[in-house]
Amino acid sequence: MRRTTVWSRLIIIAAFAFVSAITPALAQTSKIDAADTAWMISATALVLMMTIPGLALFYAGLVRKKNILATMAQSLASVAIVSILWAAAGYSLAFTGGGAWLGSLDRLFLSGMGMDSTNTLAKNIPESLFMLYEMAFAIITVALISGSVADRMKFSAFLLFGIGWLFLVYVPSAHWVWGGGFLSTMGVLDFAGGTVVHLNAGLAGLIAALVLRPRRGYGMENLSPHDLSMAVVGTGLLWVGWFGFNGGSALGANSRAAMAIASTHLAASTGAFVWMALEWWKRGKPSVLGMISGAIAGLGTITPASGYVLPWHGIVIGGLAGLVCFWACTALKERLHYDDSLDVFGIHGIGGTLGTLLTGIFATAAMSISSEMPNGIGGVLEGNWNQLKIQAIGIAVTGTWCAVVSFVLLKLIDKSVGLRVGIDAERMGLDISLHGEALQ
Amino acid sequence: MRRTTVWSRLIIIAAFAFVSAITPALAQTSKIDAADTAWMISATALVLMMTIPGLALFYAGLVRKKNILATMAQSLASVAIVSILWAAAGYSLAFTGGGAWLGSLDRLFLSGMGMDSTNTLAKNIPESLFMLYEMAFAIITVALISGSVADRMKFSAFLLFGIGWLFLVYVPSAHWVWGGGFLSTMGVLDFAGGTVVHLNAGLAGLIAALVLRPRRGYGMENLSPHDLSMAVVGTGLLWVGWFGFNGGSALGANSRAAMAIASTHLAASTGAFVWMALEWWKRGKPSVLGMISGAIAGLGTITPASGYVLPWHGIVIGGLAGLVCFWACTALKERLHYDDSLDVFGIHGIGGTLGTLLTGIFATAAMSISSEMPNGIGGVLEGNWNQLKIQAIGIAVTGTWCAVVSFVLLKLIDKSVGLRVGIDAERMGLDISLHGEALQ
Amino acid sequence: MRRTTVWSRLIIIAAFAFVSAITPALAQTSKIDAADTAWMISATALVLMMTIPGLALFYAGLVRKKNILATMAQSLASVAIVSILWAAAGYSLAFTGGGAWLGSLDRLFLSGMGMDSTNTLAKNIPESLFMLYEMAFAIITVALISGSVADRMKFSAFLLFGIGWLFLVYVPSAHWVWGGGFLSTMGVLDFAGGTVVHLNAGLAGLIAALVLRPRRGYGMENLSPHDLSMAVVGTGLLWVGWFGFNGGSALGANSRAAMAIASTHLAASTGAFVWMALEWWKRGKPSVLGMISGAIAGLGTITPASGYVLPWHGIVIGGLAGLVCFWACTALKERLHYDDSLDVFGIHGIGGTLGTLLTGIFATAAMSISSEMPNGIGGVLEGNWNQLKIQAIGIAVTGTWCAVVSFVLLKLIDKSVGLRVGIDAERMGLDISLHGEALQ
Amino acid sequence: MKLVIAVIKPFKLVDVRDALTAMGVEGLTVAEVKGYGRQKGHTEFYRGAEYAVHFLPKLKIEVVVPSDRAEKVVEAIRTSALTGQIGDGKIFVIGVEKAVRIRTGEADDNAL
Amino acid sequence: MKLVIAVIKPFKLVDVRDALTAMGVEGLTVAEVKGYGRQKGHTEFYRGAEYAVHFLPKLKIEVVVPSDRAEKVVEAIRTSALTGQIGDGKIFVIGVEKAVRIRTGEADDNAL
Amino acid sequence: MKLVIAVIKPFKLVDVRDALTAMGVEGLTVAEVKGYGRQKGHTEFYRGAEYAVHFLPKLKIEVVVPSDRAEKVVEAIRTSALTGQIGDGKIFVIGVEKAVRIRTGEADDNAL
Ligand SMILES: Nc1ncnc2c1ncn2[C@@H]1O[C@H](COP(=O)(O)OP(=O)(O)O)[C@@H](O)[C@H]1O
Ligand SMILES: Nc1ncnc2c1ncn2[C@@H]1O[C@H](COP(=O)(O)OP(=O)(O)O)[C@@H](O)[C@H]1O
Ligand SMILES: Nc1ncnc2c1ncn2[C@@H]1O[C@H](COP(=O)(O)OP(=O)(O)O)[C@@H](O)[C@H]1O
């Protein structure tokens, strides 16, 4: 019964998309740069590596033994399903055509994307590569959400949520900020995804955690991680992959990519250091989980700013990230009593928001020069208070839309297939109960 | 006694090769492109990463705890030994000189390969880089076979088999298809190794599994994997590495590489999705092992086609891969009763064959244009039924040669050093019995 | 009390550096090559990957279960702290200004490093990228040392040692050999760090191991690794990452990078093969730990030579590495009775020294041609015995300085915060006692 | 003294421990075991292979108590480990001749 | 009732379980243990270090049966766990005073 | 015969084994267990979450010996496992009715 529902829905979506794939295709050609292509292929590989195996390891390392495979399954499925849907319609709706609200249907099923095609948003690399690069972003954003619902959400429900959320939240907000939508026209600065990726994923995660309610035994039983070493490995791969995430957002092999990587790496380092120092000071011991949490917080927070700031700004931003996200994952979380299993909100949601605001403060004209912005744009530090306001608007718009749609989606799924596994399944562990396999 | 045999043979081979290394060297120079070089170095690193740690993790994650290290040892040893032999003679015999059957001895021990040398097969990158890139392919092909004989083959026997197989099967068939041999002249299309890599490895694996006979307890005892999470991580690295495997086969940082990666990634995603769906439907639960099996099946199947087809073809090919390989690893395998431990045949053998045939169907002229093929080549979809026939011939020739030689090699080794460990060693586990160490 | 000391020191350093960051900045501009940039970004990512997760996995896989996280913490902290300090002052002191002994303060906190800046040592890539690439080297060198003190050193003591050692040993010797210091003027050949990285780390490790005294139970209890499969994965990532380490040291996407990678890969393969063969012969079984030890030995040993020798030299150098390091980690270590937990000295110290000497023997003029050396430089094989002498001097100078300073530093820390954890902490394991968390 | 051995469902450990400490039992020892009984296991598929898993994870609690308290302890464990579903487990009581606290050398009841 | 404890070689578990179910024993509990005895272990090398491994992996089976069946159960285990090689293990029989099935509260023989 | 059960601190295993072999005990079985008692555990933090760890890792040694040697064995274990600090553990002695060596079928004292 339940399963049929799942499939029927999947089929409908696929069918719809395929039909419309017959629309006439456009093919724009232009000068493709081999060096930029060389770097962007590597960058794309790095960003995919962030999800598999990066995020899969990071999350799996934070759950109990009985849920390790189920956690990885969510990352794997995100890659498989988002990729197919991205090619089917996501890319076209987000990155082709300059509508204020949504893109076009010109590239349904990538129709008309030929050898020489390029996208006006990235004229120097093959369009197929640009499509893949942006695909990797959509993948990890959906996968990130799984951390909030770990240990209790139905696999089928997660897939349905991911599919709906991709088209209703990710695609539009990616278009608004990066695809020539109204937020980009408004001047919102988000280099690699403070709003589109991190705020979106973190907020959706929080909503999902609230709707799903806490894990059984939360606050009473010991729910500590089974094998933190997996999370450390995942962090390493995420960190390295972030070079492609932020550096690749320069869409070319140039100084801007290098500068973005410099501020990114320094933010990660400082975030790790600050979180470690805080734990050492407040709890007497610096934990490995604290270091990796700080690193990810720094990486998520610098993301929107990375292409617009100076390297040493990365140290400041990373430091603030460690401080604020530590507070969010401890004090704030305790006060609000929600069970965001792996702190997607506390780290990505808070970090993405913080970073988007800080971009409005640290943005440096000299760094943000580009074809669209010949003089670059400065932030508060360069006297431009207005930018901070614009950033705030970007956060408000993206956040509100994400929160509302995510909530409705979850409720719909809850009413139909149901969001949460039964109590016995949760006790036995999702590996066995949902996937019929387990670690020995 | 046994060991001496091993060494004596190794020494003979080395000696022979070294002597002949004195042959006069040729040095061709030409225009090396830095951008292509940049991408191809990364691609080479990615393909090496596929074997270590990729394949090592993937395979180790599918065996029992007592055989994890022994399984990894086979991948490690494949890298070490194949690399040395490739430099000694493999590369020269496969990729230099245009003989119909075999290459030349011009590059024994890479003699004469200077700073400016290039290979006529890849004039735009340093010959040393081309040699390394092709080396990584030879490595993983030999390593792949180890999955079929897992849990029971002697380490010494595997090494001997690998050495012989490299020179007698891999090198010739690589030359036939890629080195200007008779199959390439005949027009067989195999972009990145449907026949040379996957069919060869899968078939050799099947033969080896049959000759070795099933693992003790096969069909009775529970031989389930110890830690599937390792296999998931391995899959992630294999998937990402495949960008270098198929994308790198364009031998440059260009649209073709990007297009190949697009179809590759979509095939992997669809393969994973289809296998997952089939399990969900037939067994009530979608397993993680199913998802990763489908992904690898999709990757192996798209390999020969990747450089010749449109992105959306990748979805179709990947879907078929999931379907057919699922059938091969379940229904077919059950019917034939062989114990191919990790389904190298069911996934790579079947996938490689399927993909090579599908290449004859989906090949698109517009995509396959190259210096050798100014007008490109179309397949059945473009009315060229002949290509399908050529593909079939390529499969038949490669398959027959591989099967026969592999069988003879195995029998020879069985008679000399013996193929299989004793029953006590198998029970105790190969980690302790063959390598004297174990996981705790 | 102890903690305060730690922090106060850190703060002082930071403060000092920041103040001086106000010094006027210089900005040199020149022609940045996109292709070289593309490869060097990838190379930088690869070298960072060597430490996290590469080295973290390699080391964690060699310790007991109770110390796995603490071991990873040392790699993580090395990344965080070295990165910040490198940006603060390390880079400036090592790689700007041509002083014989030390660099300049021109780039404190990277001040004045703009979009178009380049470093005279790498005019073809953005200075920010060059800074990052060299940063990754500093990181792994400090992290390498942690292997010698595993299972017993205080985390705080390790951090303090790392900070002091970075500025007092790494920075100067990097400047001497690579930054235009007196050793480079003298003509010492060290392509990617035989002295600066491996000799330094190995020797510092040995001194630390001696000062710390052996682990509790060393020689009596069974201290065998908990999960060698982690070490295998780490080796794979280190091996692949080394393409960026040695190949990237060509600072461009060119034949030299490819050639360096060729000799590097062959040395790793031969090292693994030789160590495996020696164990098989002397102990009856080839261990996986032996293979990976041989691979790392080969990689460390070829490092200084990689950019100056022919591919087949890599086979010879790798073979010698396997032989000599095997002897160092078994016979020599036994004779000297020191407890270098993970054999940093036996593999990196000995390998780095051996490799630096062999560079003086195998250096080939045709390979070492560069803007600085238009005719290249040959070694003993080309009749230039003098080079061997120069190499020996380089080793003597670097080694003496490193040994003396490391010893003094360790003694100072021992007197202040103390180097070693208490006996109960050591028994309980460092994961719980130092970091308050553990694997389950 | 009596050795009370209880094989229970893993997630019941906390309840059982609380019940025991509530009645003043100050120590116990737990071991992870696998149990085979009426409770049926499940089937696992690995590609083509199908394995029936008969042994289920259980926890074995061992607690030594003065003879006169054995009854109460058994009862406390039974009620706290009860779910009413098959597989709840068993409790066994065995006589103990001697008990010693290593640290102090105290013997028998004083050792508990 | 009797508690029959058997320390056996790991790969013999299936045989033993089959032998017991064949004679109607419906439940048992298994634990992974390490054994030290006449059977010698092996030596492991880790680079320079050499460690003698004395403790070998074994399985400990615990099954409680009605007193009158203890003999047969011991015999069944002995024959099914036998390989004839050193290290086959031991069987011990201990008296059980009380048994309870948690789910139903049934006691003694009915609990088994 | 007696079954001597000792719950000790993990790092004491070697000492205990040596003490036993010294007095001619040729075999024993060890299991990893978790212990709860007067020895307090520690607290672990995971970001915002705080977990008190009450169960500490211990080793359970089981050795069956002829009745007349039980006393000595208990004493040997006690002295070799002693650190004097809380958490050293306990030793329990239980009567064994029968022992069999699987390999040979030898019974009782000869089986040990
Ligand atoms: N005769 C026995 N001896 C030892 N342990 C037993 C015995 N019978 C059952 N057990 C243990 O009790 C557990 C639960 O028993 P089971 O028959 O499955 O359910 P229930 O206890 O509800 O009847 C089993 O998994 C096994 O570990
Ligand atoms: N006295 C004993 N008490 C408890 N367990 C024992 C005793 N003697 C042996 N064992 C267990 O039986 C196993 C096999 O005994 P061993 O002497 O090695 O071979 P065998 O049983 O053939 O004589 C040991 O590994 C140990 O686990
Ligand atoms: N009544 C008991 N029954 C079974 N095991 C016990 C009992 N009391 C203590 N233990 C075991 O002995 C260990 C040590 O006991 P504890 O009270 O912590 O210290 P001490 O033995 O020094 O008094 C505990 O961790 C537990 O495993």
Side-chain angles (χ1 to χ4, degrees), chain B residues 7 19 99-100 135 235 250 305 380 407:
Chain B
W7 297 135
V19 171
M135 175 191 280
T235 302
V380 173
F407 181 78

Side-chain angles (χ1 to χ4, degrees), chain C residues 302-317:
Chain C
I302 192 70
T303 295
S306 52
Y308 307 118
V309 301
L310 293 167
W312 74 266
H313 291 155
I315 295 181
V316 181
I317 294 175

Side-chain angles (χ1 to χ4, degrees), chain A residues 33 35-36 38-39 42 46 49 64-65 222-230 232-237 239-240 243 252-259 261-262 265-266 268-270 272-273 276-277 280-282 284-292 307 310-312 315 366-369, chain C residues 2-3 6-7 10 18 32-35 37-38 41-42 44-46 48-49 52-53 56-57 60 68-70 72-74 76-77 79-81 83-84 87-88 109-111 113-117 126 128-129 131-132 135 139 155-156 159 230 237 432-440:
Chain A
D33 181 273
D36 292 341
W39 160 233
S42 300
L46 285 168
M49 185 182 77
R64 288 162 293 170
K65 189 178 183 184
N222 185 331
L223 307 178
S224 57
H226 172 64
D227 182 355
L228 268 177
S229 72
M230 292 174 82
V232 175
V233 178
T235 302
L237 295 176
W239 191 324
V240 172
F243 281 25
N254 48 44
S255 299
R256 185 166 210 183
M259 280 294 199
I261 292 171
H265 180 75
L266 289 171
S269 301
T270 319
F273 178 77
M276 175 185 93
W280 213 333
W281 170 45
K282 290 190 152 290
K285 287 176 182 174
S287 77
V288 169
L289 176 57
M291 289 189 229
I292 61 178
L310 294 167
W312 74 266
I315 295 181
M367 301 294 302
S368 54
I369 291 168
Chain C
R2 195 199 72 227
R3 247 172 297 118
V6 184
W7 297 136
L10 294 180
F18 198 92
I32 291 174
D33 181 273
T37 303
I41 297 178
S42 299
T44 305
L46 284 169
L48 176 61
M49 185 182 77
I52 49 168
L57 271 164
I68 283 179
L69 294 174
M72 289 182 141
Q74 294 172 316
L76 273 171
V79 177
I81 291 176
S83 299
I84 298 171
F109 276 94
L110 311 180
S111 56
M113 183 187 287
M115 274 292 200
D116 320 324
S117 314
S128 51
L129 181 53
M131 180 277 294
L132 285 167
M135 175 191 281
I139 289 169
F155 186 56
S156 56
L159 297 190
M230 293 174 82
L237 294 174
I432 283 291
S433 56
L434 294 184
H435 303 284
E437 56 201 343
L439 264 59
Q440 285 172 356

Side-chain angles (χ1 to χ4, degrees), chain A residues 221-225 283 293 329 342-343, chain F residues 43-49 51-53:
Chain A
E221 289 171 34
N222 185 331
L223 307 178
S224 57
R283 295 172 177 173
S293 305
C329 293
L342 311 183
D343 292 312
Chain F
T43 309
E44 293 181 10
F45 286 92
Y46 291 92
R47 288 198 190 127
Y51 303 121
V53 177

Side-chain angles (χ1 to χ4, degrees), chain D residues 8-88:
Chain D
I8 64 169
K9 285 180 171 166
F11 67 87
K12 277 298 197 176
L13 177 61
V14 180
D15 302 353
V16 173
R17 190 202 61 199
D18 294 350
L20 290 177
T21 37
M23 60 180 293
V25 175
E26 279 174 340
L28 53 84
T29 301
V30 184
E32 293 184 352
V33 296
K34 291 202 176 302
Y36 178 82
R38 297 187 189 170
Q39 180 188 14
K40 291 291 140 264
H42 56 272
T43 309
E44 294 181 8
F45 286 92
Y46 292 91
R47 287 198 191 126
E50 176 177 356
Y51 304 120
V53 176
H54 298 299
F55 290 89
L56 302 168
K58 302 278 173 184
L59 286 183
K60 184 174 77 164
I61 296 177
E62 291 179 315
V63 53
V64 175
V65 294
S67 305
D68 53 3
R69 312 194 57 196
E71 264 318 312
K72 283 203 191 52
V73 168
V74 171
E75 198 45 33
I77 294 177
R78 205 183 76 72
T79 45
S80 56
L82 184 71
T83 72
Q85 290 162 335
I86 195 158
D88 273 356

Side-chain angles (χ1 to χ4, degrees), chain D residues 26-29 62-64 101 103 112, chain F residues 7 34-39 58 85-90 92:
Chain D
E26 279 174 340
L28 53 84
T29 301
E62 291 179 315
V63 53
V64 175
R101 164 173 286 125
R103 171 168 47 95
L112 306 180
Chain F
V7 180
K34 292 202 174 302
Y36 178 83
R38 298 187 187 170
Q39 180 186 16
K58 302 278 174 184
Q85 289 161 336
I86 194 159
D88 273 355
K90 311 268 189 266
F92 305 117

Side-chain angles (χ1 to χ4, degrees), chain B residues 55-255:
Chain B
L55 191 67
L57 272 164
F58 183 68
Y59 278 173
L62 297 177
V63 299
R64 288 162 293 170
K65 189 178 183 184
K66 61 185 179 182
N67 296 324
I68 283 179
L69 294 174
T71 302
M72 289 183 141
Q74 293 172 316
S75 290
L76 273 171
S78 300
V79 177
I81 291 178
V82 172
S83 299
I84 298 171
L85 298 177
W86 189 256
Y91 166 70
S92 188
L93 290 167
F95 289 99
T96 69
W101 304 101
L102 210 54
S104 75
L105 296 182
D106 301 341
R107 285 286 190 245
L108 280 189
F109 276 93
L110 310 180
S111 57
M113 184 187 287
M115 273 293 200
D116 321 323
S117 313
T118 57
N119 186 307
T120 47
L121 299 165
K123 303 198 191 65
N124 54 327
I125 59 173
E127 183 176 11
S128 52
L129 181 53
F130 178 66
M131 180 276 295
L132 284 166
Y133 183 67
E134 292 302 338
M135 175 191 280
F137 277 62
I139 289 170
I140 197 167
T141 308
V142 171
L144 274 169
I145 302 171
S146 67
S148 298
V149 299
D151 302 1
R152 58 199 190 286
M153 190 173 192
K154 278 185 184 172
F155 186 56
S156 55
F158 177 76
L159 297 191
L160 288 175
F161 179 72
I163 293 167
W165 195 86
L166 171 71
F167 283 112
L168 300 177
V169 178
Y170 186 84
V171 162
S173 80
H175 180 74
W176 299 341
V177 179
W178 293 330
F182 74 99
L183 288 179
S184 60
T185 348
M186 189 185 292
V188 171
L189 294 178
D190 185 353
F191 193 66
T195 53
V196 183
V197 175
H198 298 285
L199 168 55
N200 266 341
L203 204 53
L206 177 64
I207 306 286
L210 290 169
V211 175
L212 271 163
R213 291 186 313 286
R215 288 164 289 176
R216 232 197 107 65
Y218 180 63
M220 288 113 69
E221 288 171 34
N222 184 332
L223 308 178
S224 58
H226 172 65
D227 182 355
L228 268 178
S229 72
M230 293 174 82
V232 175
V233 178
T235 302
L237 295 175
L238 282 164
W239 192 324
V240 172
W242 230 290
F243 280 24
F245 198 87
N246 289 1
S249 292
L251 295 172
N254 48 44
S255 299

Side-chain angles (χ1 to χ4, degrees), chain A residues 2-7 9-10 74 77 81 153-164 413 416-421 434-435, chain B residues 276 280 284 286:
Chain A
R2 197 198 73 225
R3 243 171 298 119
T4 34
T5 342
V6 182
W7 296 137
R9 284 153 186 251
L10 293 180
Q74 294 173 315
I81 291 178
M153 190 174 192
K154 277 186 186 172
F155 186 57
S156 56
F158 177 75
L159 297 191
L160 289 174
F161 178 72
I163 294 167
I413 295 169
S416 48
V417 304
L419 283 174
R420 188 165 177 150
V421 298
L434 294 185
H435 304 283
Chain B
M276 176 185 92
W280 214 332

